[in-house]
Amino acid sequence: MIDSQVFENKKAAYYTLGCKLNYAETSTIGQQLASEGIHKVEAGEIADICIVNTCSVTDVADKKCRYLIRKIQKDHPKAFVVVTGCYAQLKPQEVASIEGVDLVLGTNQKIDILLHLRLSLSDKQGYKLAISPVKDICDFTHSCSQDYRTRSFLKVQDGCDYYCTYCTIPFARGRSRNGKIEDLVAKAVEVAASGVKEIVLTGVNIGDFGRSTDNKLIDLLIALDEVDGIERFRISSIEPNLLTDEILNFVAQSKRFAPHFHIPLQSGSDSVLTLMRRKYDTALFASKVYKIKELMPEAFIGVDVIVGVRGETEEYFEQTCSFIESLQISQLHVFTYSEREGTQALKIEHVVDVKSKQKRSKRLAILSEKKLLAFYNSQEGREKTILFEHSSDGELMFGFSDNYVKVYCPYDESFVNSLKRCVVGTYDSSVSAVSMILLPRKEEIEL
Ligand code: SF4
């Protein structure tokens, strides 16, 4: 029997691991629970319900989830613990067997969390697992984060049909699908009305937008570029083979899309890209970087690389290093390969030992710092408009330019969520940001 009072005076705590998509989804879950009077705990408060939105991109991610669930036991001893997300979808029994877990919800069930909570809290003898087989995961559910005053993550696409040999995401999030353009534009208008100035488009394979609605990503970008009140849109990550010249030309002349690209390379060796079953080679990747810099010379280009994937010999790794050296990119995001159950990569014989993985990861981290410094040096003395963010420590505050130059300055409440013109200064590695000189507003000069 469902008890309608079951949510009364309940408080919830939220934990998110993994990608921006997960943050958007947790935020939407929080909005759903708040609509039923279940408010978010303040720092130090004990929660009645804990929601954990998990990631399973590597075995380290799984470990972090297990550690977090144990920690929740201590922080919220009586809480009803719900675990959802990719780890829950991929290994439901393993998650359900972790002490303290009360309910495990799969990718399809995440959006109906209120129903499952009401059923479970009304009937303690009820079920512990609600999971659909991945083949049944085909509905697109909307999500948009509204926790930050400056930036919002807008989910535009979900799932993936690529099946790269090292990746489990298609098994956790299902087939590629996306929202309707008119619904996403309406969501962006809503976000603008809330005072947020920047929207980051998120998804699993954003470039594949349109697969379930018979249109293309460029159609969405053109529609969003007309949304008043949003100063900037960023595309969170896009596959190189889906980053068309049409999109690049559009971003270069658009009103609101930032010259900031995040492109997964994964390896700079064509042999390894073939083993990964990636849909491009190094020549295509280099041509995209070249095109971006041709159209937007000051663009920021962040690149994902995986080290130590099966088949990556020393020779192939050297190819990766020299290829990256040759690229005019701004930063690397370096990931260490980990074996994932059910992936094709496990059939590749050549295994890279832990020591080599660590050595390769360190070498690329150093290369990344070099690229970032070169990028920041190229920005020194340039005039930029910075969108300042709320600061947690109240000492320093940070903000970003459209081309992702991170600046810092002493905390000033009046700067939060506001745009300020400044001259970019020098890079300070202790805060991983550059100093700046504030410029008077244009209208002040004209007076
Ligand atoms: S494109 Fe490849 S790496 Fe990215 S989510 Fe899809 S299968 Fe995984």
Side-chain angles (χ1 to χ4, degrees), residues 160 162-164 166-167 169-170 204-205 239 278:
C160 185
Y162 274 24
Y163 296 93
C164 302
Y166 55 85
C167 183
I169 299 172
V204 171
N205 191 347
E239 293 293 311
R278 298 289 285 162

Side-chain angles (χ1 to χ4, degrees), residues 36-257:
E36 291 284 333
I38 305 173
H39 295 294
K40 197 174 170 181
V41 286
E42 301 295 330
E45 263 191 318
I46 304 283
D48 309 292
I49 299 167
C50 288
I51 311 289
V52 187
N53 194 359
T54 61
C55 169
S56 191
V57 77
T58 62
D59 57 2
V60 175
D62 292 359
K63 257 193 221 113
K64 281 187 184 158
C65 298
R66 293 193 291 273
Y67 168 80
L68 182 56
I69 294 165
R70 282 195 293 276
K71 184 174 177 305
I72 286 172
Q73 314 274 314
K74 295 197 200 84
D75 300 348
H76 309 280
K78 295 202 179 67
F80 186 85
V81 178
V82 182
V83 181
T84 187
C86 296
Y87 185 29
Q89 176 69 38
L90 286 171
K91 299 180 181 161
Q93 305 296 355
E94 183 174 311
V95 175
S97 68
I98 301 170
E99 200 200 328
V101 172
D102 297 292
L103 181 61
V104 181
L105 296 179
T107 302
N108 254 358
Q109 288 69 28
K110 201 187 277 189
I111 204 70
D112 300 324
I113 197 162
L114 272 176
L115 169 67
H116 292 290
L117 262 177
R118 201 184 288 284
L119 289 169
S120 307
L121 291 173
S122 308
D123 167 7
K124 289 279 181 288
Q125 306 319 315
Y127 54 94
K128 191 167 183 179
L129 274 176
I131 303 277
S132 311
V134 70
K135 66 175 176 44
D136 299 344
I137 301 175
C138 37
D139 298 335
F140 179 81
T141 53
H142 283 277
S143 281
C144 185
S145 71
Q146 288 178 347
D147 308 317
Y148 310 114
R149 289 164 63 180
T150 306
R151 170 178 306 118
S152 180
F153 300 139
L154 176 63
K155 174 182 173 178
V156 298
Q157 186 273 350
D158 201 347
C160 185
D161 300 347
Y162 274 24
Y163 296 93
C164 302
T165 56
Y166 55 85
C167 183
T168 51
I169 299 172
F171 307 109
R173 284 193 167 267
R175 303 306 300 262
S176 180
R177 55 207 188 275
N178 54 274
K180 290 199 187 94
I181 291 182
E182 58 272 26
D183 298 340
L184 296 168
V185 169
K187 195 71 201 166
V189 170
E190 212 183 288
V191 170
S194 73
V196 166
K197 291 194 172 61
E198 182 170 300
I199 289 181
V200 181
L201 307 186
T202 73
V204 171
N205 191 347
I206 289 178
D208 205 33
F209 180 94
R211 180 159 296 279
S212 59
T213 51
D214 201 24
N215 39 31
K216 292 189 297 177
L217 180 62
I218 187 74
D219 305 324
L220 174 66
L221 304 187
I222 291 170
L224 288 173
D225 202 36
E226 300 309 320
V227 176
D228 288 334
I230 297 297
E231 297 289 334
R232 290 179 190 149
F233 285 96
R234 294 183 195 276
I235 303 171
S236 64
S237 172
I238 184 165
E239 293 293 311
N241 51 301
L242 298 172
L243 187 54
T244 61
D245 287 2
E246 194 185 13
I247 290 172
L248 291 177
N249 287 321
F250 171 77
V251 169
Q253 50 77 43
S254 71
K255 287 179 275 198
R256 296 184 165 85
F257 277 82

Side-chain angles (χ1 to χ4, degrees), residues 415-436:
F415 278 24
V416 174
N417 201 25
S418 71
L419 292 154
K420 300 284 181 193
R421 290 176 54 238
C422 80
V423 173
V424 174
T426 50
Y427 180 62
D428 179 340
S429 58
S430 68
V431 289
S432 306
V434 295
S435 60
M436 62 111 190

